[in-house]
Amino acid sequence: MPRDAYEQATLGELIDFVELAQEGDLAFFDNAEGKITHVGMVLANQEIIHASGRVRIDKLDHEGIFNRQTKKYTHHLKFIKRIQ
């Protein structure tokens, strides 16, 4: 597995909808320029584990990562992939 998120994003099978994601799938997030800058692993119940300042478990939906503490989206979802 490559180190950087943008390199990891070239691997795997695209998942069309966040609702079809399974535990272990990788969710990729982009910046304002559209470059992949962040990755996290999908958990059960539409949650995601990722490292943003510290390791966090947050809510994941079609928009991105929702931080329950700040009540704001922190990352914009680009796509989800399944790596086998």
Side-chain angles (χ1 to χ4, degrees):
M1 178 73 67
R3 178 191 178 281
D4 293 319
Y6 74 91
E7 294 173 313
Q8 294 171 12
T10 65
L11 305 174
E13 172 190 347
L14 194 61
I15 305 302
D16 292 327
F17 300 101
V18 70
E19 294 82 11
L20 298 176
Q22 298 175 3
E23 291 180 69
D25 288 345
L26 298 180
F28 294 91
F29 305 87
D30 61 355
N31 62 15
E33 292 80 40
K35 182 179 178 183
I36 301 295
T37 57
H38 191 68
V39 62
M41 185 176 291
V42 175
L43 301 175
N45 302 315
Q46 286 190 279
E47 290 187 317
I48 187 165
I49 187 166
H50 65 115
S52 183
R54 64 180 179 88
V55 176
R56 306 185 45 83
I57 294 177
D58 288 311
K59 198 71 178 160
L60 174 67
D61 66 23
H62 67 280
E63 288 190 45
I65 296 174
F66 185 77
N67 183 311
R68 292 181 184 110
Q69 291 175 324
T70 63
K71 306 230 184 299
K72 294 181 183 177
Y73 283 94
T74 60
H75 297 84
H76 175 259
L77 180 64
K78 182 74 170 183
F79 52 78
I80 297 173
K81 288 205 164 175
R82 183 163 300 141
I83 300 180
Q84 304 202 12

